[in-house]
Coordinates of all heavy atoms in Angstrom, one line a residue:
M14 N -117.3 -18.2 -56.9 CA -116.7 -18.7 -55.7 C -116.4 -20.2 -55.8 O -117.2 -20.9 -56.5 CB -117.7 -18.5 -54.5 CG -117.3 -19.2 -53.2 SD -118.3 -18.9 -51.8 CE -119.7 -19.8 -52.3
V15 N -115.3 -20.6 -55.4 CA -114.9 -22.0 -55.5 C -114.7 -22.6 -54.1 O -114.0 -21.9 -53.3 CB -113.6 -22.2 -56.3 CG1 -113.1 -23.6 -56.3 CG2 -113.8 -21.6 -57.7
K16 N -115.1 -23.8 -53.8 CA -114.9 -24.5 -52.5 C -114.4 -25.9 -52.8 O -114.9 -26.5 -53.8 CB -116.2 -24.5 -51.7 CG -116.7 -23.2 -51.3 CD -115.8 -22.6 -50.2 CE -116.3 -21.3 -49.6 NZ -115.5 -20.8 -48.6
Y17 N -113.7 -26.5 -51.9 CA -113.3 -27.9 -52.0 C -114.0 -28.6 -50.9 O -113.8 -28.2 -49.7 CB -111.7 -27.9 -51.9 CG -111.2 -29.4 -52.0 CD1 -111.1 -29.9 -53.3 CD2 -110.8 -30.1 -50.9 CE1 -110.6 -31.2 -53.5 CE2 -110.4 -31.4 -51.1 CZ -110.3 -31.9 -52.4 OH -109.8 -33.3 -52.5
H18 N -114.6 -29.7 -51.2 CA -115.3 -30.5 -50.2 C -115.3 -32.0 -50.6 O -115.7 -32.3 -51.7 CB -116.7 -30.0 -49.9 CG -117.5 -30.8 -49.0 ND1 -117.3 -30.9 -47.7 CD2 -118.6 -31.6 -49.3 CE1 -118.1 -31.7 -47.1 NE2 -119.0 -32.2 -48.1
D19 N -115.0 -32.9 -49.7 CA -115.1 -34.3 -49.9 C -114.5 -34.8 -51.2 O -115.1 -35.6 -51.9 CB -116.5 -34.7 -49.7 CG -116.8 -36.2 -49.4 OD1 -115.9 -36.8 -48.9 OD2 -117.9 -36.7 -49.8
G20 N -113.3 -34.3 -51.6 CA -112.7 -34.7 -52.8 C -113.1 -34.1 -54.1 O -112.6 -34.5 -55.1
H21 N -113.9 -33.0 -54.0 CA -114.4 -32.4 -55.2 C -114.3 -30.9 -55.1 O -114.4 -30.4 -54.0 CB -115.9 -32.7 -55.6 CG -116.1 -34.2 -55.9 ND1 -115.7 -34.7 -57.1 CD2 -116.6 -35.1 -55.1 CE1 -116.1 -36.0 -57.0 NE2 -116.7 -36.2 -55.9
F22 N -114.0 -30.2 -56.2 CA -114.2 -28.8 -56.2 C -115.5 -28.4 -56.7 O -116.1 -29.1 -57.6 CB -113.1 -28.2 -57.2 CG -111.7 -28.1 -56.7 CD1 -110.8 -29.0 -57.0 CD2 -111.3 -27.1 -55.8 CE1 -109.5 -29.0 -56.5 CE2 -110.1 -27.0 -55.3 CZ -109.1 -28.0 -55.6
Y23 N -116.1 -27.4 -56.1 CA -117.4 -26.9 -56.4 C -117.3 -25.4 -56.9 O -116.6 -24.6 -56.2 CB -118.4 -27.0 -55.2 CG -118.8 -28.4 -54.9 CD1 -118.0 -29.1 -54.1 CD2 -119.9 -29.0 -55.4 CE1 -118.3 -30.4 -53.8 CE2 -120.3 -30.2 -55.1 CZ -119.4 -31.0 -54.3 OH -119.8 -32.3 -54.1
V24 N -117.9 -25.0 -58.0 CA -117.9 -23.7 -58.5 C -119.4 -23.1 -58.3 O -120.3 -23.7 -58.8 CB -117.5 -23.6 -59.9 CG1 -117.6 -22.2 -60.5 CG2 -116.0 -24.1 -60.1
F25 N -119.5 -22.0 -57.6 CA -120.8 -21.3 -57.5 C -120.8 -20.1 -58.4 O -119.9 -19.3 -58.2 CB -121.0 -20.9 -55.9 CG -121.0 -22.0 -55.0 CD1 -119.8 -22.7 -54.6 CD2 -122.2 -22.4 -54.4 CE1 -119.8 -23.7 -53.7 CE2 -122.2 -23.5 -53.5 CZ -121.0 -24.1 -53.1
A26 N -121.8 -20.1 -59.2 CA -121.7 -18.9 -60.2 C -123.1 -18.3 -60.4 O -124.1 -19.0 -60.5 CB -121.2 -19.5 -61.6
A27 N -123.1 -17.0 -60.7 CA -124.3 -16.3 -61.0 C -123.9 -15.2 -62.1 O -122.8 -14.8 -62.2 CB -124.8 -15.5 -59.7
P28 N -124.9 -14.9 -62.9 CA -124.7 -13.9 -64.0 C -124.3 -12.5 -63.5 O -124.7 -12.1 -62.4 CB -125.9 -13.9 -64.8 CG -126.9 -14.3 -63.8 CD -126.3 -15.2 -62.8
R29 N -123.7 -11.7 -64.3 CA -123.3 -10.3 -64.0 C -124.2 -9.3 -64.7 O -124.0 -8.1 -64.5 CB -121.9 -10.1 -64.4 CG -121.0 -11.0 -63.6 CD -119.5 -10.8 -64.0 NE -119.1 -9.4 -63.8 CZ -117.9 -9.0 -63.7 NH1 -116.9 -9.9 -63.8 NH2 -117.6 -7.7 -63.6
S30 N -125.2 -9.8 -65.4 CA -126.2 -8.7 -66.0 C -127.6 -9.3 -65.9 O -127.8 -10.5 -65.6 CB -125.8 -8.5 -67.4 OG -126.1 -9.6 -68.2
N31 N -128.5 -8.5 -66.2 CA -130.0 -8.9 -66.2 C -130.4 -9.7 -67.4 O -131.5 -10.3 -67.3 CB -130.8 -7.7 -66.1 CG -130.8 -7.0 -64.7 OD1 -130.4 -7.7 -63.7 ND2 -130.9 -5.7 -64.6
A32 N -129.7 -9.8 -68.4 CA -130.0 -10.5 -69.6 C -129.6 -11.9 -69.6 O -128.7 -12.3 -68.9 CB -129.5 -9.8 -70.8
S33 N -130.3 -12.8 -70.4 CA -129.8 -14.1 -70.6 C -128.5 -14.1 -71.2 O -128.2 -13.3 -72.1 CB -130.9 -14.9 -71.5 OG -130.4 -16.2 -71.8
Q34 N -127.6 -15.1 -70.8 CA -126.3 -15.0 -71.3 C -125.6 -16.4 -71.2 O -125.9 -17.2 -70.4 CB -125.4 -14.0 -70.6 CG -125.3 -14.2 -69.1 CD -124.6 -13.1 -68.5 OE1 -123.4 -12.8 -68.7 NE2 -125.3 -12.4 -67.5
S35 N -124.7 -16.6 -72.1 CA -123.8 -17.8 -72.2 C -122.5 -17.4 -71.6 O -121.9 -16.4 -71.9 CB -123.7 -18.3 -73.6 OG -122.9 -19.4 -73.6
V36 N -122.0 -18.3 -70.7 CA -120.7 -18.0 -70.0 C -119.7 -19.2 -70.2 O -120.2 -20.3 -70.0 CB -120.9 -17.6 -68.5 CG1 -119.6 -17.5 -67.8 CG2 -121.9 -16.5 -68.3
T37 N -118.5 -18.9 -70.5 CA -117.5 -19.9 -70.6 C -116.6 -19.8 -69.4 O -116.1 -18.8 -69.0 CB -116.7 -19.8 -71.9 OG1 -117.6 -20.0 -73.0 CG2 -115.6 -20.9 -72.0
F38 N -116.3 -21.0 -68.7 CA -115.5 -21.1 -67.6 C -114.2 -21.8 -68.0 O -114.2 -22.7 -68.8 CB -116.1 -22.0 -66.5 CG -117.4 -21.3 -66.0 CD1 -118.6 -21.6 -66.6 CD2 -117.4 -20.5 -64.8 CE1 -119.8 -21.1 -66.1 CE2 -118.6 -20.0 -64.4 CZ -119.8 -20.2 -65.0
T39 N -113.1 -21.4 -67.4 CA -111.8 -22.0 -67.7 C -111.2 -22.6 -66.5 O -111.1 -21.9 -65.5 CB -110.8 -21.0 -68.3 OG1 -111.4 -20.4 -69.5 CG2 -109.5 -21.6 -68.7
L40 N -110.8 -23.9 -66.6 CA -110.3 -24.6 -65.4 C -108.8 -24.8 -65.6 O -108.3 -25.0 -66.7 CB -110.9 -26.0 -65.3 CG -112.4 -26.1 -65.3 CD1 -112.9 -27.5 -65.3 CD2 -112.9 -25.4 -64.0
A41 N -108.0 -24.7 -64.6 CA -106.6 -24.8 -64.6 C -106.2 -26.3 -65.0 O -106.9 -27.1 -64.7 CB -105.9 -24.5 -63.3
G42 N -105.1 -26.4 -65.8 CA -104.6 -27.7 -66.1 C -105.1 -28.3 -67.4 O -104.7 -29.4 -67.8
G43 N -106.0 -27.6 -68.1 CA -106.4 -28.0 -69.4 C -107.1 -29.4 -69.4 O -107.1 -30.1 -70.4
R44 N -107.9 -29.7 -68.4 CA -108.5 -31.0 -68.2 C -109.6 -31.2 -69.2 O -110.1 -30.3 -69.8 CB -109.0 -31.2 -66.8 CG -110.1 -30.2 -66.4 CD -110.6 -30.4 -65.0 NE -111.5 -31.5 -64.9 CZ -111.3 -32.5 -64.1 NH1 -110.4 -32.5 -63.1 NH2 -112.2 -33.5 -64.0
T45 N -110.0 -32.5 -69.5 CA -111.1 -32.9 -70.3 C -112.0 -33.9 -69.5 O -111.4 -34.6 -68.7 CB -110.5 -33.6 -71.5 OG1 -109.7 -32.6 -72.3 CG2 -111.6 -34.0 -72.5
G46 N -113.2 -33.8 -69.7 CA -114.2 -34.7 -69.0 C -115.5 -34.1 -69.0 O -116.0 -33.6 -70.0
Q47 N -116.0 -33.9 -67.7 CA -117.3 -33.3 -67.5 C -117.4 -32.7 -66.2 O -116.7 -33.0 -65.2 CB -118.5 -34.3 -67.7 CG -118.5 -35.4 -66.7 CD -119.6 -36.3 -67.0 OE1 -120.2 -36.5 -68.0 NE2 -120.0 -37.1 -66.0
V48 N -118.4 -31.7 -66.1 CA -118.7 -31.2 -64.8 C -120.3 -31.5 -64.6 O -121.0 -31.6 -65.5 CB -118.6 -29.7 -64.7 CG1 -117.1 -29.3 -64.8 CG2 -119.4 -28.9 -65.6
T49 N -120.6 -31.7 -63.4 CA -122.0 -31.9 -63.0 C -122.7 -30.7 -62.4 O -122.1 -30.0 -61.7 CB -122.1 -33.0 -61.9 OG1 -121.5 -34.2 -62.4 CG2 -123.5 -33.3 -61.5
V50 N -123.8 -30.3 -63.0 CA -124.5 -29.1 -62.5 C -125.4 -29.7 -61.3 O -126.4 -30.5 -61.6 CB -125.5 -28.5 -63.6 CG1 -126.0 -27.2 -63.1 CG2 -124.6 -28.2 -64.8
V51 N -125.1 -29.3 -60.1 CA -125.7 -29.9 -58.9 C -127.2 -29.6 -58.8 O -127.6 -28.4 -59.0 CB -124.9 -29.3 -57.6 CG1 -125.6 -29.8 -56.4 CG2 -123.5 -29.7 -57.7
D52 N -128.0 -30.6 -58.5 CA -129.4 -30.6 -58.4 C -130.2 -30.1 -59.7 O -131.3 -29.7 -59.6 CB -129.8 -29.7 -57.3 CG -129.4 -30.2 -55.9 OD1 -129.3 -31.5 -55.8 OD2 -129.1 -29.4 -54.9
E53 N -129.5 -30.2 -60.8 CA -130.2 -29.9 -62.1 C -130.3 -31.1 -63.0 O -130.9 -30.9 -64.1 CB -129.5 -28.7 -62.8 CG -129.7 -27.4 -62.0 CD -129.3 -26.2 -62.8 OE1 -129.3 -26.3 -64.1 OE2 -128.8 -25.2 -62.2
G54 N -129.7 -32.3 -62.6 CA -129.8 -33.4 -63.5 C -129.1 -33.3 -64.8 O -129.6 -33.9 -65.8
R55 N -128.0 -32.6 -64.9 CA -127.4 -32.4 -66.1 C -125.8 -32.3 -66.0 O -125.4 -32.0 -64.9 CB -127.9 -31.3 -67.0 CG -127.7 -30.0 -66.3 CD -128.5 -28.9 -67.0 NE -128.3 -27.6 -66.4 CZ -127.5 -26.6 -66.8 NH1 -126.8 -26.8 -68.0 NH2 -127.4 -25.5 -66.2
T56 N -125.1 -32.7 -67.0 CA -123.7 -32.5 -67.0 C -123.3 -31.7 -68.2 O -124.0 -31.6 -69.2 CB -122.9 -33.9 -67.0 OG1 -123.3 -34.6 -68.2 CG2 -123.2 -34.7 -65.8
L57 N -122.1 -31.1 -68.1 CA -121.5 -30.3 -69.2 C -120.2 -30.9 -69.6 O -119.4 -31.2 -68.8 CB -121.4 -28.8 -68.8 CG -122.8 -28.2 -68.4 CD1 -122.5 -26.8 -67.8 CD2 -123.7 -28.1 -69.6
P58 N -119.9 -30.9 -71.0 CA -118.6 -31.4 -71.3 C -117.5 -30.3 -71.1 O -117.7 -29.2 -71.2 CB -118.7 -31.7 -72.8 CG -119.8 -30.8 -73.2 CD -120.7 -30.6 -72.1
V59 N -116.3 -30.9 -70.6 CA -115.2 -30.0 -70.4 C -114.1 -30.4 -71.5 O -113.7 -31.5 -71.6 CB -114.5 -30.2 -69.0 CG1 -113.3 -29.3 -68.9 CG2 -115.5 -29.9 -68.0
T60 N -113.7 -29.4 -72.4 CA -112.8 -29.7 -73.4 C -111.7 -28.6 -73.3 O -111.9 -27.5 -73.2 CB -113.5 -29.6 -74.8 OG1 -114.6 -30.4 -74.9 CG2 -112.5 -29.9 -75.9
N61 N -110.4 -29.1 -73.3 CA -109.3 -28.2 -73.1 C -109.4 -27.3 -71.9 O -109.0 -26.1 -72.1 CB -109.0 -27.5 -74.4 CG -108.7 -28.4 -75.6 OD1 -108.0 -29.4 -75.4 ND2 -109.1 -28.1 -76.8
G62 N -109.9 -27.8 -70.8 CA -110.1 -27.0 -69.7 C -111.2 -25.9 -69.7 O -111.3 -25.1 -68.8
R63 N -112.2 -26.1 -70.6 CA -113.3 -25.1 -70.7 C -114.6 -25.8 -70.8 O -114.8 -26.8 -71.4 CB -113.1 -24.2 -71.9 CG -111.9 -23.3 -71.8 CD -111.8 -22.5 -73.0 NE -110.7 -21.6 -72.9 CZ -110.3 -20.6 -73.7 NH1 -111.1 -20.5 -74.8 NH2 -109.3 -19.9 -73.5
F64 N -115.6 -25.1 -70.2 CA -117.0 -25.5 -70.3 C -117.9 -24.3 -70.4 O -117.5 -23.3 -69.8 CB -117.5 -26.5 -69.2 CG -117.6 -25.9 -67.8 CD1 -118.8 -25.5 -67.3 CD2 -116.5 -25.9 -67.0 CE1 -118.9 -24.9 -66.0 CE2 -116.6 -25.4 -65.7 CZ -117.8 -24.9 -65.2
T65 N -119.0 -24.4 -71.0 CA -120.0 -23.3 -71.2 C -121.3 -23.6 -70.8 O -121.8 -24.8 -70.9 CB -120.0 -23.0 -72.7 OG1 -118.7 -22.6 -73.2 CG2 -120.9 -21.8 -73.0
D66 N -122.0 -22.6 -70.1 CA -123.3 -22.8 -69.6 C -124.1 -21.5 -69.9 O -123.5 -20.5 -70.1 CB -123.3 -23.2 -68.2 CG -124.7 -23.9 -67.7 OD1 -125.6 -24.2 -68.6 OD2 -124.8 -24.1 -66.6
T67 N -125.5 -21.7 -69.8 CA -126.3 -20.5 -70.0 C -127.1 -20.2 -68.8 O -127.5 -21.0 -68.1 CB -127.3 -20.9 -71.2 OG1 -126.7 -21.2 -72.4 CG2 -128.3 -19.7 -71.4
F68 N -127.2 -18.9 -68.5 CA -127.9 -18.3 -67.4 C -129.1 -17.6 -68.0 O -129.0 -16.7 -68.8 CB -127.0 -17.3 -66.6 CG -125.9 -18.0 -65.9 CD1 -124.7 -18.2 -66.5 CD2 -126.0 -18.4 -64.5 CE1 -123.6 -18.9 -65.9 CE2 -125.0 -19.0 -63.9 CZ -123.8 -19.3 -64.6
A69 N -130.3 -18.0 -67.6 CA -131.6 -17.6 -68.1 C -131.9 -16.1 -67.7 O -132.5 -15.3 -68.4 CB -132.7 -18.5 -67.8
S70 N -131.4 -15.7 -66.5 CA -131.9 -14.5 -66.0 C -130.9 -14.0 -64.8 O -129.9 -14.8 -64.4 CB -133.3 -14.4 -65.4 OG -133.3 -15.2 -64.2
A71 N -131.1 -12.8 -64.3 CA -130.2 -12.3 -63.3 C -130.3 -13.1 -62.0 O -129.5 -13.0 -61.1 CB -130.5 -10.8 -63.0
T72 N -131.4 -13.9 -61.8 CA -131.6 -14.6 -60.6 C -131.1 -16.1 -60.7 O -131.2 -16.8 -59.8 CB -133.1 -14.6 -60.2 OG1 -133.8 -15.2 -61.2 CG2 -133.5 -13.2 -59.9
S73 N -130.5 -16.4 -61.8 CA -130.0 -17.8 -62.1 C -128.7 -18.0 -61.3 O -127.9 -17.1 -61.3 CB -129.7 -18.0 -63.5 OG -130.9 -17.9 -64.3
V74 N -128.6 -19.1 -60.5 CA -127.4 -19.5 -59.9 C -127.2 -20.9 -60.2 O -128.1 -21.8 -60.1 CB -127.5 -19.2 -58.3 CG1 -126.3 -19.8 -57.7 CG2 -127.8 -17.8 -58.0
H75 N -125.9 -21.3 -60.6 CA -125.6 -22.7 -60.8 C -124.4 -23.1 -59.9 O -123.5 -22.3 -59.6 CB -125.1 -22.8 -62.3 CG -126.1 -22.5 -63.3 ND1 -127.3 -23.3 -63.4 CD2 -126.2 -21.6 -64.3 CE1 -128.1 -22.7 -64.4 NE2 -127.4 -21.7 -64.9
V76 N -124.5 -24.3 -59.5 CA -123.4 -24.9 -58.7 C -122.9 -26.0 -59.6 O -123.6 -27.0 -59.9 CB -123.8 -25.4 -57.3 CG1 -122.7 -26.0 -56.6 CG2 -124.5 -24.3 -56.6
Y77 N -121.5 -26.0 -59.8 CA -120.9 -27.1 -60.6 C -119.9 -27.8 -59.7 O -119.2 -27.3 -58.9 CB -120.1 -26.4 -61.8 CG -120.9 -25.5 -62.6 CD1 -120.7 -24.1 -62.5 CD2 -121.7 -26.0 -63.6 CE1 -121.5 -23.3 -63.2 CE2 -122.4 -25.1 -64.4 CZ -122.3 -23.7 -64.2 OH -123.0 -22.8 -65.0
R78 N -120.1 -29.2 -59.9 CA -119.1 -30.2 -59.2 C -118.1 -30.6 -60.3 O -118.4 -31.1 -61.3 CB -119.8 -31.3 -58.6 CG -118.8 -32.2 -57.8 CD -119.5 -33.4 -57.3 NE -119.8 -34.4 -58.4 CZ -120.9 -35.0 -58.5 NH1 -121.9 -34.9 -57.7 NH2 -121.1 -35.8 -59.6
I79 N -116.8 -30.3 -60.0 CA -115.7 -30.7 -60.9 C -115.4 -32.2 -60.6 O -114.9 -32.5 -59.5 CB -114.5 -29.8 -60.8 CG1 -114.9 -28.4 -60.8 CG2 -113.4 -30.2 -61.8 CD1 -115.6 -27.9 -62.1
D80 N -115.8 -33.1 -61.5 CA -115.5 -34.6 -61.2 C -114.1 -35.0 -61.6 O -113.4 -34.4 -62.4 CB -116.6 -35.3 -62.0 CG -118.0 -35.0 -61.5 OD1 -118.1 -34.9 -60.3 OD2 -118.9 -35.0 -62.3

């Protein structure tokens, strides 16, 4: 799910299986920079419009702020 609020896009994501997994997201426009993982104290690099994150289990949910 994607929402726009206060000048930022937010991506809400959860895994599609019960196993730990790595997921790559693709952003329109081929941007480069970083995304912030909300309330987790970390950022992820965006290169050529893509970033990758890991979900530890089926109950993992991440919220990303596109800066």
Side-chain angles (χ1 to χ4, degrees):
M14 174 176 67
V15 176
K16 295 289 184 177
Y17 184 78
H18 175 71
D19 200 25
H21 297 283
F22 283 99
Y23 291 84
V24 176
F25 298 75
R29 295 177 60 159
S30 72
N31 289 331
S33 174
Q34 59 187 296
S35 180
V36 177
T37 299
F38 298 86
T39 302
L40 306 174
R44 63 180 284 128
T45 298
Q47 67 181 18
V48 297
T49 299
V50 188
V51 177
D52 292 334
E53 292 190 26
R55 61 192 181 102
T56 59
L57 300 170
V59 178
T60 305
N61 296 324
R63 294 182 176 181
F64 68 95
T65 301
D66 200 6
T67 301
F68 292 83
S70 70
T72 60
S73 300
V74 175
H75 297 298
V76 179
Y77 306 100
R78 184 182 72 224
I79 311 302
D80 296 322

